[in-house]
Amino acid sequence: MKTRVVCAEQGLDEAVSLIKSGELVVFPTETVYGLGADALNPEAVKKIFEAKGRPQDNPLIVHIASVEQAREIAREVPPEFYALAERFMPGPLTVVLEKSEAVPSVVTAGGHTVAIRMPRNEIARKLIALSSPVAAPSANRSKHVSPTAAEHVLYDLDGRVPLILDGGECGVGIESTVLDLTTDIPTVLRPGAVTADMISEVLGKVSSAGKIIGVAKSPGMKYEHYAPTVPAVAAFDEIKAFARYDEERQAGGNPVLIMRERHRAAAGGRSFISLGDTPEECMQRVYAALREAEKDYSFVIIEGLNGEGAEASVMNRIMKSVGGRVL
């Protein structure tokens, strides 16, 4: 299969035709690029798992173009969903509800719930509105770093998908927050740009998920994710990070530091990739930094973030990317 990369606006009509015919399309969102198929066509959805090498027990998110479309995907849409939609949709929030009969079991990994999101990206919403609800995980090989640019997708999925809509760099940079509304207390299954504190302002008390046993309700919960192709560790201490860098160099390796810009001067002549400084910059840059590092270096030392809110969401991804390894 030949993979074509086309400007998102120019390729929209072709993308709609592909989705309607049961094929795959990569499209931009504000979080990361998505690998999409008609969510109501089980044979089309199976192609997502094949292209990514994704385990069948890892559910997908169904993307919608309007709040009203949620009624087609969910068995019942509670008032809490509409309250959240008024504040955060379109945007980087996914909500888990009881699924309708229209949603194939392959989308939900056999579970009775479905994750629903309305992306902020206009091209993504146009694609959905003109075709169908779209099931889509991140457009990368399973467990690899998620893509925030079309070139990242091409690196992972060249020859596996017919079309990539190039919409430039993703503005948010990590996957959406996932909130489960099927529990007694709304539960954050995956942190993201919409933080638990922000959600609690709308719904009141919010909890966080513990260890997942049985069927996962959301992607990103059961497997090591976001990992570069070279060894990586996280460091919460500047001195420890520099010491490990020097050890790797002395052993003949080619390490790199991925840290906030404030550490550049102290790093001296050590190889350095910047995360920016604000939590939002770190969120937007973390995946691109990991992909840049794996191309040119043999070992990654990435700064650990200790803050709450957005910093905690970025740290969730960092810990998964390094497999929990900390200096």
Short mmCIF file of all heavy atoms in Angstrom, two decimals, residues 106-163:
data_model
loop_
_atom_site.label_atom_id
_atom_site.label_comp_id
_atom_site.label_asym_id
_atom_site.label_seq_id
_atom_site.Cartn_x
_atom_site.Cartn_y
_atom_site.Cartn_z
N VAL A 106 -15.88 -4.73 18.91
CA VAL A 106 -14.46 -4.57 18.63
C VAL A 106 -13.97 -3.19 19.05
O VAL A 106 -12.81 -3.01 19.42
CB VAL A 106 -14.16 -4.84 17.13
CG1 VAL A 106 -14.80 -3.80 16.23
CG2 VAL A 106 -12.65 -4.90 16.88
N VAL A 107 -14.85 -2.20 19.02
CA VAL A 107 -14.48 -0.84 19.42
C VAL A 107 -14.22 -0.77 20.92
O VAL A 107 -13.31 -0.06 21.37
CB VAL A 107 -15.59 0.15 19.02
CG1 VAL A 107 -15.32 1.54 19.61
CG2 VAL A 107 -15.72 0.24 17.51
N THR A 108 -15.01 -1.49 21.70
CA THR A 108 -14.97 -1.38 23.16
C THR A 108 -14.23 -2.54 23.83
O THR A 108 -14.32 -2.69 25.04
CB THR A 108 -16.39 -1.31 23.71
OG1 THR A 108 -17.08 -2.54 23.42
CG2 THR A 108 -17.16 -0.15 23.09
N ALA A 109 -13.50 -3.32 23.05
CA ALA A 109 -12.77 -4.49 23.58
C ALA A 109 -13.72 -5.44 24.30
O ALA A 109 -13.35 -6.07 25.29
CB ALA A 109 -11.64 -4.04 24.50
N GLY A 110 -14.97 -5.53 23.80
CA GLY A 110 -15.95 -6.43 24.37
C GLY A 110 -16.66 -5.89 25.60
O GLY A 110 -17.53 -6.57 26.15
N GLY A 111 -16.31 -4.69 26.01
CA GLY A 111 -16.93 -4.10 27.20
C GLY A 111 -18.27 -3.47 26.90
O GLY A 111 -18.66 -3.30 25.74
N HIS A 112 -18.98 -3.08 27.95
CA HIS A 112 -20.32 -2.50 27.79
C HIS A 112 -20.29 -0.98 27.81
O HIS A 112 -21.34 -0.33 27.76
CB HIS A 112 -21.25 -3.01 28.89
CG HIS A 112 -20.77 -2.68 30.28
ND1 HIS A 112 -21.03 -1.48 30.88
CD2 HIS A 112 -20.03 -3.40 31.16
CE1 HIS A 112 -20.49 -1.46 32.09
NE2 HIS A 112 -19.87 -2.62 32.29
N THR A 113 -19.10 -0.39 27.89
CA THR A 113 -18.98 1.06 27.88
C THR A 113 -18.23 1.52 26.64
O THR A 113 -17.49 0.76 26.01
CB THR A 113 -18.25 1.57 29.13
OG1 THR A 113 -16.92 1.02 29.15
CG2 THR A 113 -18.98 1.18 30.41
N VAL A 114 -18.42 2.80 26.30
CA VAL A 114 -17.74 3.38 25.15
C VAL A 114 -17.19 4.74 25.52
O VAL A 114 -17.81 5.51 26.27
CB VAL A 114 -18.71 3.49 23.94
CG1 VAL A 114 -19.89 4.40 24.26
CG2 VAL A 114 -17.98 3.98 22.70
N ALA A 115 -15.99 5.04 25.03
CA ALA A 115 -15.35 6.34 25.26
C ALA A 115 -15.68 7.26 24.09
O ALA A 115 -15.51 6.89 22.92
CB ALA A 115 -13.84 6.15 25.39
N ILE A 116 -16.14 8.47 24.39
CA ILE A 116 -16.64 9.40 23.38
C ILE A 116 -15.91 10.74 23.51
O ILE A 116 -15.77 11.28 24.60
CB ILE A 116 -18.15 9.64 23.53
CG1 ILE A 116 -18.92 8.32 23.45
CG2 ILE A 116 -18.66 10.61 22.49
CD1 ILE A 116 -20.39 8.44 23.80
N ARG A 117 -15.49 11.29 22.36
CA ARG A 117 -14.82 12.60 22.36
C ARG A 117 -15.23 13.42 21.15
O ARG A 117 -15.43 12.86 20.06
CB ARG A 117 -13.30 12.41 22.37
CG ARG A 117 -12.53 13.74 22.31
CD ARG A 117 -11.09 13.54 22.70
NE ARG A 117 -10.14 13.63 21.60
CZ ARG A 117 -9.64 14.77 21.12
NH1 ARG A 117 -10.05 15.93 21.60
NH2 ARG A 117 -8.74 14.74 20.16
N MET A 118 -15.35 14.72 21.33
CA MET A 118 -15.55 15.63 20.21
C MET A 118 -14.31 16.51 20.09
O MET A 118 -14.08 17.39 20.91
CB MET A 118 -16.79 16.50 20.42
CG MET A 118 -17.04 17.44 19.26
SD MET A 118 -18.69 18.20 19.25
CE MET A 118 -18.67 19.09 20.80
N PRO A 119 -13.48 16.27 19.08
CA PRO A 119 -12.22 17.02 18.96
C PRO A 119 -12.45 18.48 18.61
O PRO A 119 -13.43 18.85 17.97
CB PRO A 119 -11.49 16.28 17.84
CG PRO A 119 -12.55 15.61 17.05
CD PRO A 119 -13.63 15.26 18.02
N ARG A 120 -11.51 19.31 19.04
CA ARG A 120 -11.57 20.74 18.75
C ARG A 120 -11.15 21.04 17.31
O ARG A 120 -11.60 22.02 16.72
CB ARG A 120 -10.68 21.50 19.73
CG ARG A 120 -10.76 23.02 19.63
CD ARG A 120 -9.72 23.67 20.53
NE ARG A 120 -9.88 23.24 21.90
CZ ARG A 120 -8.90 23.20 22.79
NH1 ARG A 120 -7.66 23.51 22.43
NH2 ARG A 120 -9.14 22.84 24.03
N ASN A 121 -10.28 20.22 16.75
CA ASN A 121 -9.75 20.45 15.41
C ASN A 121 -10.88 20.46 14.38
O ASN A 121 -11.68 19.52 14.29
CB ASN A 121 -8.73 19.35 15.08
CG ASN A 121 -8.06 19.55 13.74
OD1 ASN A 121 -8.64 19.27 12.71
ND2 ASN A 121 -6.84 20.04 13.77
N GLU A 122 -10.97 21.50 13.58
CA GLU A 122 -12.08 21.66 12.64
C GLU A 122 -12.06 20.62 11.53
O GLU A 122 -13.11 20.15 11.09
CB GLU A 122 -12.08 23.07 12.05
CG GLU A 122 -12.43 24.15 13.06
CD GLU A 122 -12.58 25.52 12.42
OE1 GLU A 122 -12.51 25.60 11.17
OE2 GLU A 122 -12.76 26.51 13.15
N ILE A 123 -10.88 20.27 11.04
CA ILE A 123 -10.78 19.24 10.00
C ILE A 123 -11.31 17.92 10.53
O ILE A 123 -12.05 17.20 9.83
CB ILE A 123 -9.33 19.09 9.50
CG1 ILE A 123 -8.92 20.32 8.69
CG2 ILE A 123 -9.17 17.82 8.66
CD1 ILE A 123 -9.69 20.50 7.39
N ALA A 124 -10.94 17.58 11.75
CA ALA A 124 -11.41 16.32 12.34
C ALA A 124 -12.93 16.31 12.42
O ALA A 124 -13.59 15.32 12.06
CB ALA A 124 -10.80 16.14 13.72
N ARG A 125 -13.53 17.41 12.88
CA ARG A 125 -14.98 17.45 13.01
C ARG A 125 -15.67 17.43 11.66
O ARG A 125 -16.73 16.82 11.50
CB ARG A 125 -15.43 18.67 13.82
CG ARG A 125 -15.05 18.59 15.28
CD ARG A 125 -15.95 19.42 16.16
NE ARG A 125 -16.16 20.77 15.68
CZ ARG A 125 -15.31 21.77 15.82
NH1 ARG A 125 -14.15 21.55 16.44
NH2 ARG A 125 -15.59 22.97 15.38
N LYS A 126 -15.09 18.08 10.67
CA LYS A 126 -15.67 18.04 9.32
C LYS A 126 -15.63 16.63 8.76
O LYS A 126 -16.60 16.17 8.15
CB LYS A 126 -14.91 18.99 8.39
CG LYS A 126 -15.20 20.47 8.62
CD LYS A 126 -14.41 21.33 7.64
CE LYS A 126 -14.69 22.81 7.86
NZ LYS A 126 -13.88 23.67 6.95
N LEU A 127 -14.52 15.94 8.96
CA LEU A 127 -14.38 14.55 8.50
C LEU A 127 -15.48 13.68 9.10
O LEU A 127 -16.13 12.90 8.40
CB LEU A 127 -13.00 14.01 8.88
CG LEU A 127 -12.75 12.52 8.63
CD1 LEU A 127 -12.82 12.20 7.15
CD2 LEU A 127 -11.41 12.11 9.23
N ILE A 128 -15.70 13.84 10.40
CA ILE A 128 -16.71 13.04 11.09
C ILE A 128 -18.12 13.41 10.62
O ILE A 128 -18.94 12.54 10.35
CB ILE A 128 -16.57 13.23 12.61
CG1 ILE A 128 -15.19 12.75 13.09
CG2 ILE A 128 -17.68 12.50 13.36
CD1 ILE A 128 -14.78 13.31 14.43
N ALA A 129 -18.38 14.71 10.53
CA ALA A 129 -19.71 15.17 10.15
C ALA A 129 -20.09 14.71 8.75
O ALA A 129 -21.27 14.42 8.47
CB ALA A 129 -19.77 16.69 10.24
N LEU A 130 -19.11 14.60 7.86
CA LEU A 130 -19.39 14.24 6.47
C LEU A 130 -19.33 12.73 6.24
O LEU A 130 -19.70 12.28 5.15
CB LEU A 130 -18.39 14.94 5.54
CG LEU A 130 -18.50 16.46 5.47
CD1 LEU A 130 -17.31 17.05 4.70
CD2 LEU A 130 -19.81 16.87 4.81
N SER A 131 -18.90 11.97 7.23
CA SER A 131 -18.79 10.52 7.04
C SER A 131 -19.60 9.77 8.09
O SER A 131 -20.74 9.35 7.85
CB SER A 131 -17.33 10.08 7.06
OG SER A 131 -16.68 10.46 8.25
N SER A 132 -19.04 9.62 9.29
CA SER A 132 -19.69 8.86 10.36
C SER A 132 -18.91 9.10 11.64
O SER A 132 -17.81 9.67 11.60
CB SER A 132 -19.65 7.36 10.03
OG SER A 132 -18.31 6.88 10.10
N PRO A 133 -19.43 8.68 12.80
CA PRO A 133 -18.57 8.66 13.98
C PRO A 133 -17.31 7.85 13.67
O PRO A 133 -17.36 6.83 12.99
CB PRO A 133 -19.43 7.97 15.04
CG PRO A 133 -20.83 8.22 14.59
CD PRO A 133 -20.79 8.19 13.10
N VAL A 134 -16.18 8.32 14.15
CA VAL A 134 -14.89 7.73 13.78
C VAL A 134 -14.19 7.17 15.02
O VAL A 134 -13.93 7.90 15.98
CB VAL A 134 -13.99 8.77 13.09
CG1 VAL A 134 -12.57 8.22 12.91
CG2 VAL A 134 -14.57 9.17 11.74
N ALA A 135 -13.92 5.88 14.99
CA ALA A 135 -13.10 5.26 16.04
C ALA A 135 -11.64 5.53 15.72
O ALA A 135 -11.21 5.35 14.58
CB ALA A 135 -13.35 3.76 16.10
N ALA A 136 -10.89 5.99 16.72
CA ALA A 136 -9.50 6.34 16.43
C ALA A 136 -8.64 6.33 17.69
O ALA A 136 -8.92 7.06 18.64
CB ALA A 136 -9.43 7.72 15.78
N PRO A 137 -7.57 5.55 17.68
CA PRO A 137 -6.49 5.69 18.65
C PRO A 137 -5.44 6.63 18.05
O PRO A 137 -5.62 7.17 16.96
CB PRO A 137 -5.96 4.27 18.76
CG PRO A 137 -6.10 3.75 17.35
CD PRO A 137 -7.34 4.40 16.78
N SER A 138 -4.32 6.81 18.73
CA SER A 138 -3.23 7.59 18.16
C SER A 138 -2.65 6.86 16.95
O SER A 138 -2.64 5.64 16.89
CB SER A 138 -2.14 7.82 19.22
OG SER A 138 -1.70 6.59 19.76
N ALA A 139 -2.16 7.64 16.00
CA ALA A 139 -1.73 7.10 14.70
C ALA A 139 -0.24 6.73 14.73
O ALA A 139 0.58 7.30 13.99
CB ALA A 139 -2.02 8.10 13.59
N ASN A 140 0.10 5.77 15.56
CA ASN A 140 1.47 5.29 15.68
C ASN A 140 1.46 3.78 15.83
O ASN A 140 0.42 3.18 16.07
CB ASN A 140 2.14 5.94 16.90
CG ASN A 140 1.37 5.67 18.19
OD1 ASN A 140 0.18 5.95 18.28
ND2 ASN A 140 2.04 5.12 19.18
N ARG A 141 2.63 3.18 15.71
CA ARG A 141 2.73 1.76 16.03
C ARG A 141 2.49 1.58 17.52
O ARG A 141 2.88 2.41 18.32
CB ARG A 141 4.10 1.22 15.64
CG ARG A 141 4.38 1.23 14.14
CD ARG A 141 3.44 0.33 13.35
NE ARG A 141 3.61 -1.08 13.71
CZ ARG A 141 4.49 -1.89 13.15
NH1 ARG A 141 5.30 -1.45 12.21
NH2 ARG A 141 4.56 -3.16 13.51
N SER A 142 1.85 0.47 17.86
CA SER A 142 1.48 0.22 19.25
C SER A 142 2.69 0.34 20.18
O SER A 142 3.77 -0.18 19.88
CB SER A 142 0.87 -1.18 19.37
OG SER A 142 0.45 -1.43 20.68
N LYS A 143 2.51 1.08 21.28
CA LYS A 143 3.48 1.29 22.35
C LYS A 143 4.56 2.31 22.01
O LYS A 143 5.35 2.69 22.88
CB LYS A 143 4.13 -0.02 22.81
CG LYS A 143 3.14 -1.04 23.33
CD LYS A 143 3.86 -2.25 23.91
CE LYS A 143 2.85 -3.29 24.40
NZ LYS A 143 3.52 -4.44 25.01
N HIS A 144 4.63 2.79 20.76
CA HIS A 144 5.62 3.79 20.40
C HIS A 144 5.11 5.18 20.81
O HIS A 144 3.95 5.36 21.17
CB HIS A 144 5.92 3.74 18.90
CG HIS A 144 7.12 4.52 18.49
ND1 HIS A 144 7.25 5.11 17.26
CD2 HIS A 144 8.26 4.85 19.17
CE1 HIS A 144 8.41 5.72 17.18
NE2 HIS A 144 9.05 5.57 18.33
N VAL A 145 6.00 6.16 20.75
CA VAL A 145 5.65 7.53 21.10
C VAL A 145 4.52 8.03 20.19
O VAL A 145 4.56 7.84 18.98
CB VAL A 145 6.89 8.45 20.95
CG1 VAL A 145 6.53 9.88 21.35
CG2 VAL A 145 8.04 7.94 21.80
N SER A 146 3.54 8.66 20.78
CA SER A 146 2.40 9.16 20.01
C SER A 146 2.83 10.27 19.06
O SER A 146 3.77 11.02 19.34
CB SER A 146 1.30 9.67 20.94
OG SER A 146 0.82 8.63 21.76
N PRO A 147 2.13 10.43 17.91
CA PRO A 147 2.55 11.39 16.90
C PRO A 147 1.86 12.74 17.06
O PRO A 147 0.65 12.84 17.22
CB PRO A 147 2.09 10.72 15.59
CG PRO A 147 0.85 9.96 16.00
CD PRO A 147 1.06 9.54 17.43
N THR A 148 2.64 13.81 17.01
CA THR A 148 2.08 15.15 17.06
C THR A 148 2.34 15.93 15.77
O THR A 148 2.08 17.12 15.70
CB THR A 148 2.66 15.93 18.25
OG1 THR A 148 4.10 15.94 18.17
CG2 THR A 148 2.23 15.29 19.57
N ALA A 149 2.84 15.23 14.75
CA ALA A 149 3.06 15.82 13.42
C ALA A 149 2.90 14.72 12.38
O ALA A 149 3.08 13.53 12.68
CB ALA A 149 4.46 16.44 13.32
N ALA A 150 2.55 15.11 11.17
CA ALA A 150 2.33 14.13 10.10
C ALA A 150 3.57 13.30 9.83
O ALA A 150 3.48 12.11 9.50
CB ALA A 150 1.86 14.84 8.83
N GLU A 151 4.75 13.90 9.97
CA GLU A 151 5.99 13.15 9.70
C GLU A 151 6.18 12.02 10.71
O GLU A 151 6.75 10.98 10.37
CB GLU A 151 7.19 14.10 9.74
CG GLU A 151 7.45 14.73 11.08
CD GLU A 151 8.54 15.79 11.03
OE1 GLU A 151 8.31 16.83 10.42
OE2 GLU A 151 9.62 15.53 11.60
N HIS A 152 5.69 12.21 11.94
CA HIS A 152 5.76 11.14 12.93
C HIS A 152 4.90 9.95 12.49
O HIS A 152 5.29 8.80 12.65
CB HIS A 152 5.25 11.63 14.29
CG HIS A 152 6.01 12.77 14.86
ND1 HIS A 152 5.51 13.59 15.86
CD2 HIS A 152 7.25 13.26 14.58
CE1 HIS A 152 6.40 14.50 16.17
NE2 HIS A 152 7.47 14.33 15.41
N VAL A 153 3.72 10.27 11.97
CA VAL A 153 2.82 9.21 11.51
C VAL A 153 3.45 8.44 10.36
O VAL A 153 3.44 7.20 10.33
CB VAL A 153 1.47 9.79 11.06
CG1 VAL A 153 0.54 8.67 10.60
CG2 VAL A 153 0.82 10.59 12.17
N LEU A 154 4.01 9.17 9.40
CA LEU A 154 4.60 8.52 8.23
C LEU A 154 5.73 7.58 8.65
O LEU A 154 5.88 6.49 8.09
CB LEU A 154 5.11 9.57 7.25
CG LEU A 154 5.56 9.05 5.90
CD1 LEU A 154 4.39 8.42 5.13
CD2 LEU A 154 6.20 10.17 5.07
N TYR A 155 6.51 7.98 9.63
CA TYR A 155 7.61 7.14 10.11
C TYR A 155 7.08 5.81 10.62
O TYR A 155 7.68 4.76 10.39
CB TYR A 155 8.36 7.88 11.22
CG TYR A 155 9.52 7.10 11.81
CD1 TYR A 155 10.77 7.12 11.21
CD2 TYR A 155 9.36 6.34 12.97
CE1 TYR A 155 11.82 6.40 11.74
CE2 TYR A 155 10.40 5.62 13.51
CZ TYR A 155 11.64 5.65 12.89
OH TYR A 155 12.68 4.93 13.41
N ASP A 156 5.96 5.83 11.33
CA ASP A 156 5.42 4.62 11.94
C ASP A 156 4.53 3.81 11.02
O ASP A 156 4.53 2.57 11.08
CB ASP A 156 4.59 4.99 13.18
CG ASP A 156 5.44 5.13 14.43
OD1 ASP A 156 6.68 5.24 14.30
OD2 ASP A 156 4.87 5.12 15.54
N LEU A 157 3.74 4.48 10.18
CA LEU A 157 2.66 3.79 9.45
C LEU A 157 2.79 3.85 7.94
O LEU A 157 1.83 3.52 7.23
CB LEU A 157 1.30 4.36 9.88
CG LEU A 157 0.94 4.23 11.37
CD1 LEU A 157 -0.45 4.81 11.62
CD2 LEU A 157 1.00 2.77 11.82
N ASP A 158 3.94 4.23 7.43
CA ASP A 158 4.13 4.26 5.98
C ASP A 158 3.88 2.87 5.40
O ASP A 158 4.45 1.88 5.86
CB ASP A 158 5.55 4.71 5.66
CG ASP A 158 5.76 5.02 4.18
OD1 ASP A 158 4.75 5.12 3.45
OD2 ASP A 158 6.93 5.14 3.77
N GLY A 159 3.01 2.79 4.42
CA GLY A 159 2.66 1.52 3.80
C GLY A 159 1.54 0.78 4.50
O GLY A 159 1.09 -0.27 4.03
N ARG A 160 1.04 1.31 5.62
CA ARG A 160 -0.01 0.66 6.39
C ARG A 160 -1.35 1.39 6.31
O ARG A 160 -2.38 0.85 6.70
CB ARG A 160 0.41 0.54 7.86
CG ARG A 160 1.57 -0.41 8.08
CD ARG A 160 2.08 -0.36 9.51
NE ARG A 160 3.07 -1.42 9.73
CZ ARG A 160 2.79 -2.62 10.23
NH1 ARG A 160 1.55 -2.91 10.57
NH2 ARG A 160 3.73 -3.52 10.37
N VAL A 161 -1.31 2.65 5.85
CA VAL A 161 -2.53 3.44 5.71
C VAL A 161 -2.50 4.15 4.35
O VAL A 161 -1.42 4.49 3.85
CB VAL A 161 -2.66 4.49 6.83
CG1 VAL A 161 -2.81 3.81 8.19
CG2 VAL A 161 -1.48 5.45 6.85
N PRO A 162 -3.67 4.38 3.74
CA PRO A 162 -3.67 5.01 2.42
C PRO A 162 -3.46 6.51 2.45
O PRO A 162 -2.89 7.08 1.52
CB PRO A 162 -5.05 4.67 1.86
CG PRO A 162 -5.91 4.45 3.05
CD PRO A 162 -5.01 3.87 4.10
N LEU A 163 -3.91 7.20 3.52
CA LEU A 163 -3.93 8.66 3.49
C LEU A 163 -3.65 9.24 4.87
O LEU A 163 -4.22 8.82 5.87
CB LEU A 163 -5.29 9.16 3.00
CG LEU A 163 -5.45 10.67 2.84
CD1 LEU A 163 -4.57 11.19 1.71
CD2 LEU A 163 -6.91 11.03 2.59
#
